[in-house]
Amino acid sequence: MNELPRKTQGLGDEALAMARPKYVGKAVQRLEDPRLLTGAGRYVADIRLDRMVHAAFLRSDQAHARISAMDCDAARAMPGVIGVFTAEDFADIPVISAPSRMRDYRATKCTVLAADKVRYVGEPVAVVIARDRYIAEDALALIEVDWEPLDVAADAESAAHSNAPLLHEELGTNILFERVFETGSADDEMAAAPHRVSGRFRIHRKTPLAIEPRSYVAEPDRANDGLTLHGSTQVPGIIRDILSGLLDLPGNRIRVVAPDVGGGFGGKGSLYPEEIAVCALARKLARPVKWVSDRSEDLCSTSQGFDETIEAELGFADDGTLIALKGQVTGDVGAYSIYPWTAALEPVQVVSFLPGPYRIPHYRGEVKGVATPKPPTGPYRGVGRPASVFVTERLIDMAAAHLGIDPAEMRRRNLVSETEFPYRIGSGIVWDRSGFAECLDEACSRVGYEGLRRLQQEARAAGRWFGIGIATYAELTGIGSRISVAPGMPINTGTETASIRIDSTGAVTATFAVASHGQSLETTLAQIVAEELGVRPEDVRVVHGDSGATSHGTGTYASRSAVLGGGAAIVTSRVLRDKIRRVASHLLEAAAEDIETGDGRVFVTGTDKSMSFAEVAHAVYSDMKALPADAREILEASESFDPVTGTTTTATHIATVEIDPETFAVKIGRYLVAEDCGRMINPLVVDGQVHGGVAQGIGAALLEELSYDRTGQLLTGSLADYTVPTAVEVPHIDVVHLETELPGNPGGFRGMGEGGTIGAPAAIANAISDALSPLGVGVTELPVTPERLFRLVSEARNKTDTEK
Amino acid sequence: MKPAPFEYVRAASVREAIALLDHDDAKIIAGGQSLVPMMNFRLAQPERIVDINAIAELSGIREDGSDIVIGSLVRHAEAMRSPLLARHFPVIAEAMHHVAHLAIRNRGTIGGSLVHADPSAEWPLLVALLDGEIVAEGPDGCRTVKADEFFVAPLVTEIDETEILVAVRFPKPAPGAGMAFDEVARRAGDFAVASAGALVSVEDGVMREVRVALGGVGDGPVRATAVEEELTGRVADKVSISDTVELACEGLEPETDIHASAEYRLSLVPVLVRRVLERAVLRAGAGAA
Amino acid sequence: MSARVDITMTLNGEEIVETVEPRMLLSDFLRDRLGLTGTHVGCEHGVCGACTIRLNGVTARSCLTFAVQADGARIETVEHLGTVSSLGRIQQAFRKHHALQCGFCTPGFLMTVQEMLETLPLDTDEEIRDALSGNICRCTGYEHIVRAVRELADEREGAAA
């Protein structure tokens, strides 16, 4: 038997069996599953309240137009309609604007409903409240709007022109922000570099597409002149705080609750006009108002993501050493700068992460965001990094091909190495020690990289298009108070608080401001609390996603909840456990230092003296003879945790693809991820997050694209046209976990919810480019559909024919 | 996405259904897998829905002399599993595998698919390939329409608003005929970007009867008659086939949409034609291929 | 027009008698009229599969069926598969393999898997993936769902042998 950890020495046998570590790191079955598997979950759309009425929004079918007149009389007269409301009915609500301290940033102004003009197809212009949704939609058809169409510059390039039609006249430009990052002298060094590769890369707009569409029920509290918003949101704390201002209600009269939420992926992480509208109308009508987005609305009103053009160039030496990187990012950010993240979130992340996990001494990155007549962009899983990793990893492969160096070796030569951490990349981001090289090596070894290269040679000899793609990347997760999640954003996203209490029955309730919407936090946070406090996970009830239960806290996004929520769980549990030990020292007549806890019991180490949590609670709260008055500590603790900076998560993805040379169908063969997310709380949950992230990355790489025509009309308005991966398009995925040096937070956790989506587009783009390399073409545009492959290959073939 | 109001009537017989269709804006519902999405998007707002699901005479797959007759209410899943169809037209099960997904195949019907007449759908192609005849019944009785007359334009057929598609009649092919179907789609179960079917009879190593049908590249299913004529009488091998497949593109003018350009669609035609012809030849003479 | 219609159906083994407007979708009928909110609505055009139920023994999209069409039908929903305190076999396998995250698509998957196990050979994982392809999950990447179904299919073969 191995030597026991020091901590457990001297415990009695019974106590030994209950010692830590016990739950953290184990594949504990999820506590939320029984209700979700039996249809007993409670999503917002499931909520039915007395006197509840239903909202339906009339949305603009114009991309850019003035509203010259609107006639709602026929709709109002329809039986079953309670009211029809337009912008003027919300005139007392302040204009929504997302502020930022960022220089050269121009905030947009957005009203709950479009007042004088509309700026994208799908923008809400009127809302009908009716007895049921069917009638509400009938009434929408009776509203007549006279539009005065305005000129449309539907893409970022044309909208950035000085003579382009302006979406927000008061700004004098469609460019909402511009920013430059520079380290060293990239221009000179690039010019002097012995070798250069470059490209113009394009990633097309996506929608997060949670399967549960956004839904809200606003429930007025007539007795207290208050309001509860039940919302499918990732950020109940942020929504509560902003609504408090917009509706002029103190936080103790407005409560935002996210019950079971059916996925978010960033799309439920911002403030939306609809949630303000239902709140205002519930107060006006003094009855509950429900709005459930239908899929059609979801595709044109939920925040979108990943819409950039990136021109980039990489300079390097004969031996492959990277010298300089330059990038120019143009983000198509949509019509409004979204609250609270701003329109800068996605494009600035692209330029910030372009240097990747590599040693590149000279960097110049420029970014601008251009307002276009499309729905606002916001966070979508991976935020910016799927694009930056796509570009950088393509350039690395192009450089490797240029020098005739194997792509894996090219990376090995340039990854920031163990001794160089902490390492500041050219954009200013600092990487902490994380298994950059270890993940690459482990991925190559597990996938049998050399063997795959041999297979490729055989395949090529047989005329098959077989490719292998690598993507190595790093991301900043679990961001603390020193760094802003979005540039210059004036809200604090760097801390989280836990409140844990043991009630008079001895039961444990742990309350967090994070908001699980599939991440399994009810289980993983319970595992942590159980571990630290000395109970079983199933004994811990985790309360989350309820702004009424916490003083502050924002929610779940940006791969933060394991690090911040988990960290808060640990520090709070430890304070509470110390209380338990102090109280128990009186009850068990032992020194507090000699007291251990485990499986819901309290022990004196080295003895058989013990009692249950319930008995301790009884002594504290109910049996007033058990303890001296000054030893009766309330069994509650509330602590905040701030990781200050963030943690560095890294991974290498390796994919193989085979392309049908005749139909251009792409089939993914192997897919392996080797990742370092620090200590795992629950390996099943980590695997699940990786799998799901990879599937979305596959969508981004091969399938998903929101298409708009030149007039700003959405061409992919259904799930038959916006194509997300099914089980057939996603291959079997292998995941390998590495734990190098643990980060300096209490649990040793790194965030990992987004990584799959960050690595997959690049790995697949590189695999396809590798398969096509004999033709001399590579992927520069995602998604790389069969249509795009057809054109790419046809152009290559025509070029060859012309040269002959 | 809620449908507009309508009146609902359930017909117990074809005659009753025809009588109920005598209304300004009536629409038949069978599986509803194309109609109801259109109604939910309010792209279709019929005033009256005539439900024909309870009409027994529209069900079933049966042998009728030299024909196989498929009732219009036969679901895709039922056609896929039918031993009778497997014996005479194994290509039907092969094609049905590409029709959407389990739950849709359980509900969607052959009649619904044909009257919906999506040029990329599988049933229209099969009817063209297998020389099917559509049997429609209206106030004036029954009539039979051949495939090349039935499909008028995308989503438009020869069938009149007062008529009901009651069955499809397929002549049994020559014994030992080989058949194959293939398509290119964005994802499993999506509508085809392009599709092809082939039927080949081989005698003494020579192709006697050759039929090739294409989907997704025209206003409706298209027979590649130039290929059929050229290959009839040729040696049943890969060389004959590859020499000929480019002819399948003759006269085609496919559409460009968000999923595929006309050029890409056209490039798929010879590829798919070659693949289905080669497979059909392999299967020819092999009994129930 | 659109006069309300009386309907009777057997729902999860219980006889239900209700009056509905013809246009009411079966999904809305189950959820809003009967309070059986386990059947979820994700797209209302038949693509996502979240609303999948069993209609006369076979899976169907409840968003593409009018409640009035279910008059006389037998319907089963996710509520019929098990309870929180006594999960059904498919539910247990999903829990064991972490085959659900947000849980929104899950009821539709469970109904589909039930039919798959009853009707398909499921010899290979490709076949499992193909049969699952009418249900979209945005969380799991399907890997753990495939593993759960694999276990159930193998178990079924074991029981048959």
Side-chain angles (χ1 to χ4, degrees), chain A residues 133-134 137-138 294-296 660 662-664 702-703 715-721 723-724 728-729 785-787 790, chain B residues 1-5 40-42 101 184 186-188 190 258-265 267-268 271-272 274-275:
Chain A
R133 176 67 178 247
Y134 289 76
E137 291 192 21
D138 293 344
D294 61 37
R295 187 54 65 186
S296 195
D660 184 325
E662 295 182 319
T663 66
F664 306 96
L702 297 175
L703 289 162
L715 303 176
T716 45
S718 79
L719 293 191
D721 291 327
T723 48
V724 298
V728 171
E729 287 74 43
T785 57
E787 173 70 35
F790 164 74
Chain B
M1 285 179 60
K2 307 295 180 193
N40 288 356
F41 278 112
R42 296 203 181 201
H101 310 279
V184 171
R186 287 294 303 280
R187 295 174 301 177
D190 281 353
I258 52 166
H259 297 300
S261 65
E263 296 76 26
Y264 172 51
R265 282 203 159 90
S267 81
L268 294 172
V271 173
L272 287 170
R274 194 190 70 236
R275 289 181 184 183

Side-chain angles (χ1 to χ4, degrees), chain A residues 579-587 616 620 627 631 633 635:
Chain A
K579 284 193 177 186
I580 296 166
R581 291 164 81 187
R582 283 198 297 271
V583 167
S585 75
H586 288 276
L587 300 168
V616 175
V620 169
L627 284 165
E633 297 194 60
L635 298 178

Side-chain angles (χ1 to χ4, degrees), chain B residues 93-143:
Chain B
E94 192 177 18
M96 286 306 103
H97 186 83
H98 294 268
V99 177
H101 310 279
L102 292 185
I104 306 286
R105 294 201 287 260
N106 284 338
R107 290 292 290 168
T109 64
I110 177 173
S113 176
L114 290 172
V115 295
H116 187 59
D118 188 304
S120 296
E122 290 76 7
W123 274 119
L125 183 144
L126 289 168
V127 169
L129 176 71
L130 302 174
D131 284 337
E133 288 181 340
I134 281 128
V135 184
E137 194 171 334
D140 304 326
C142 263
R143 63 177 180 135

Side-chain angles (χ1 to χ4, degrees), chain A residues 53-56 72-85 127-143 285 287, chain C residues 23:
Chain A
V53 290
H54 298 260
C72 304
D73 291 349
R76 283 198 183 97
M78 188 164 199
V81 170
I82 287 129
V84 180
F85 304 91
V127 54
V128 172
I129 300 292
R131 200 174 58 217
D132 67 40
R133 176 67 178 247
Y134 289 76
I135 294 170
E137 291 192 21
D138 293 344
L140 289 185
L142 300 181
I143 299 175
L285 301 169
R287 58 199 294 185
Chain C
R23 65 165 163 171

Side-chain angles (χ1 to χ4, degrees), chain A residues 139-408:
Chain A
L140 289 185
L142 300 181
I143 299 175
E144 283 181 35
V145 185
D146 288 343
W147 301 107
E148 181 195 322
L150 299 169
D151 288 344
V152 170
D155 59 86
E157 199 176 342
S158 59
H161 279 159
S162 55
N163 59 354
L166 294 178
L167 279 184
H168 302 273
E169 288 84 352
E170 71 280 10
L171 301 180
T173 174
N174 288 323
I175 299 173
L176 297 187
F177 60 90
E178 283 177 281
R179 198 165 169 186
V180 178
F181 293 82
E182 188 150 29
T183 293
S185 36
D187 286 337
D188 296 347
E189 294 294 330
M190 187 68 78
H195 307 278
R196 287 185 289 275
V197 290
S198 64
R200 181 184 165 87
F201 300 90
R202 181 80 174 93
I203 184 161
H204 289 280
R205 192 172 268 249
K206 321 285 181 212
T207 173
L209 208 99
I211 303 300
E212 178 205 28
R214 288 189 295 117
S215 324
Y216 311 109
V217 173
E219 180 185 8
D221 172 2
R222 288 167 62 218
N224 298 302
D225 191 23
L227 184 80
T228 298
L229 174 66
H230 308 269
S232 59
T233 180
Q234 301 172 227
V235 288
I238 291 177
I239 301 301
R240 190 268 311 265
D241 291 359
I242 182 78
L243 285 180
S244 166
L246 293 174
L247 301 175
D248 193 20
L249 276 176
N252 59 8
R253 278 165 42 208
I254 178 159
R255 177 177 164 213
V256 177
V257 185
D260 285 319
V261 173
F265 316 115
K268 294 172 184 165
S270 303
L271 173 72
Y272 285 96
E274 296 92 348
E275 58 197 338
I276 306 170
V278 295
C279 287
L281 291 172
R283 281 173 67 72
K284 191 186 287 257
L285 301 169
R287 58 199 294 185
V289 175
K290 180 178 195 171
W291 175 71
V292 177
S293 169
D294 61 37
R295 187 54 65 186
S296 195
E297 297 179 281
D298 180 69
L299 287 166
C300 67
S301 72
T302 291
S303 69
Q304 303 178 346
F306 300 1
D307 193 348
E308 285 98 21
T309 304
I310 302 141
E311 294 193 56
E313 187 174 27
L314 182 65
F316 47 99
D318 294 339
D319 65 354
T321 304
L322 302 181
I323 297 169
L325 174 68
K326 288 169 68 175
Q328 283 180 308
V329 177
T330 304
D332 181 326
V333 299
Y336 295 99
S337 185
I338 203 161
Y339 185 89
W341 314 108
T342 80
L345 173 72
E346 159 83 19
V348 170
Q349 291 257 67
V350 177
V351 84
S352 300
F353 287 86
L354 215 50
Y358 301 107
R359 207 184 303 112
I360 309 176
H362 304 279
Y363 176 59
R364 182 178 167 85
E366 298 169 21
V367 58
K368 66 169 180 272
V370 186
T372 55
K374 294 176 195 158
T377 50
Y380 173 40
R381 198 176 197 170
V383 186
R385 289 142 318 172
S388 62
V389 173
F390 163 53
V391 170
T392 304
E393 292 299 283
R394 284 295 302 123
L395 290 172
I396 295 280
D397 267 23
M398 288 159 72
H402 178 85
L403 295 174
I405 298 175
D406 181 88

